């Protein structure tokens, strides 16, 4: 579209669509011109959504630029997590890490994977829920998808895992049932092989905010099961090795 980009207008529209559980096609939006505009809109959307949790997802753009978005709603499984179900909702099994020390923006020598691992204080099994207000998600405009919080619509952190799982997650037996049906049964597989790839990329992004990657932040690291559509509400049970996570998605 040719209209002038207004981050406030985009954030308001995305918020409205999410509230109404609706989706619109990419070509109906005025698109961000760059990552700066996309993140400005994302920040405004997060404010409209009232997001306060210090929990984030990391991924990379098709051009290899590391990006993040806040996870919301964020519900601890131990409190009987119940995430809203919407038509088109997708699910991913993931590994989340909590930082025990800051990873400040660095110039010069980049962070090594070992340094990032040293900053991690805890590792959790987790589940991300996804549904975008953009019909094509990020397939047409990744920048629009960034503005829409990378499609995140919920996160459930589960039990603590051994810290070494960041090295051994790939290949771990993983079984997921939803509403009594098996929706994944096979080895855990991360798109990059290494669950920490995108976090290391983001740690070494000199353009990220100074406030990012502080001690206490929880960062989810990417799917181990692919994105699976949940066609109805129901209970989800995840078995990852000897660990288990159980929660429900319920009609809003």
């Amino acid at each position: 579209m040719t209209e002038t980009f207004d981050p406030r207008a985009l954030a308001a529209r995305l918020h409205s669509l999410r509230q109404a559980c609706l989706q619109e096609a990419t070509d109906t939006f005025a698109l961000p011109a760059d990552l700066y505009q996309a993140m400005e809109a994302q920040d405004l959307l997060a404010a409209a959504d009232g997001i306060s949790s210090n929990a984030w997802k990391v991924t990379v753009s098709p051009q290899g630029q590391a990006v993040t978005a806040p996870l919301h709603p964020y519900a601890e499984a131990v409190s009987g997590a119940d995430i809203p179900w919407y038509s088109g909702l997708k699910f991913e099994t993931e590994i989340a890490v909590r930082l025990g020390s800051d990873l400040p923006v660095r110039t010069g020598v980049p962070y090594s994977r070992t340094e990032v691992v040293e900053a991690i204080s805890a590792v959790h099994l987790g589940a991300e829920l996804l549904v975008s207000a953009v019909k094509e998600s990020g397939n047409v405009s990744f920048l629009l998808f960034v503005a829409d919080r990378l499609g995140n619509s919920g996160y459930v952190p589960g039990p603590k895992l051994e810290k070494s799982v960041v090295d051994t997650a790939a290949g771990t037996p993983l079984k997921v049932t939803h509403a009594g049906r098996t929706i994944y049964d096979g080895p855990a597989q991360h798109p990059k092989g290494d669950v920490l790839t995108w976090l290391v990329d983001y740690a070494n992004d000199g353009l990220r905010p100074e406030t990012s990657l502080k001690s206490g932040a929880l960062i989810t690291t990417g799917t181990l099961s692919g994105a699976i559509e949940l066609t109805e509400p129901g209970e989800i049970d995840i078995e990852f090795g000897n660990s288990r996570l159980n929660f429900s998605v319920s009609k809003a």
Side-chain angles (χ1 to χ4, degrees), residues 130 145 147 169 172 187 198 205 209 212 216 252:
L130 301 131
F145 191 52
T172 300
W198 292 331
D205 176 14
S212 60

Side-chain angles (χ1 to χ4, degrees), residues 106-120:
R106 177 188 280 184
T107 56
V109 180
Y111 285 104
S112 66
R113 185 185 189 278
T114 299
E115 287 177 297
V116 172
V117 171
E118 288 171 350
I120 294 170

Side-chain angles (χ1 to χ4, degrees), residues 91-142:
F91 155 91
E92 296 180 352
T93 303
E94 304 195 351
I95 295 295
V97 301
R98 191 173 298 281
L99 297 182
S101 57
D102 296 350
L103 288 169
V105 176
R106 177 188 280 184
T107 56
V109 180
Y111 285 104
S112 66
R113 185 185 189 278
T114 299
E115 287 177 297
V116 172
V117 171
E118 288 171 350
I120 294 170
S121 61
V123 178
H124 293 264
L125 180 61
E128 183 182 4
L129 290 309
L130 301 131
V131 64
S132 177
V134 183
K135 195 168 288 184
E136 303 87 356
S137 298
N139 294 333
V140 176
S141 171
F142 188 77

Side-chain angles (χ1 to χ4, degrees), residues 71-247:
L71 299 171
H72 179 79
Y74 175 84
E76 298 280 359
V78 291
S79 61
D82 196 346
I83 297 287
W85 176 87
Y86 305 100
S87 178
L89 185 72
K90 293 181 179 180
F91 155 91
E92 296 180 352
T93 303
E94 304 195 351
I95 295 295
V97 301
R98 191 173 298 281
L99 297 182
S101 57
D102 296 350
L103 288 169
V105 176
R106 177 188 280 184
T107 56
V109 180
Y111 285 104
S112 66
R113 185 185 189 278
T114 299
E115 287 177 297
V116 172
V117 171
E118 288 171 350
I120 294 170
S121 61
V123 178
H124 293 264
L125 180 61
E128 183 182 4
L129 290 309
L130 301 131
V131 64
S132 177
V134 183
K135 195 168 288 184
E136 303 87 356
S137 298
N139 294 333
V140 176
S141 171
F142 188 77
L143 290 174
L144 180 60
F145 191 52
V146 169
D148 192 33
R149 295 201 288 106
L150 295 170
N152 175 261
S153 54
Y155 196 81
V156 182
K160 276 190 178 183
L161 305 172
E162 293 294 326
K163 189 172 174 179
S164 60
V165 81
V166 297
D167 301 318
T168 62
T172 300
L174 174 61
K175 183 177 182 180
V176 184
T177 58
H178 170 241
R181 297 191 311 274
T182 300
I183 59 173
Y184 187 91
D185 190 359
Q189 301 178 76
H190 188 274
K192 303 304 290 186
D194 178 4
V195 298
L196 293 184
T197 296
W198 292 331
L199 177 55
V200 174
D201 287 347
Y202 187 63
N204 287 317
D205 176 14
L207 300 178
R208 65 180 170 92
E210 294 286 346
T211 55
S212 60
L213 300 185
K214 295 290 190 182
S215 177
L218 182 121
I219 301 106
T220 197
T221 57
T223 183
L224 298 175
S225 60
I228 304 166
E229 185 165 351
L230 303 178
T231 56
E232 61 180 324
E235 190 172 278
I236 291 175
D237 189 71
I238 304 168
E239 294 178 60
F240 176 77
N242 296 319
S243 298
R244 197 162 192 161
L245 170 57
N246 181 274
F247 66 99

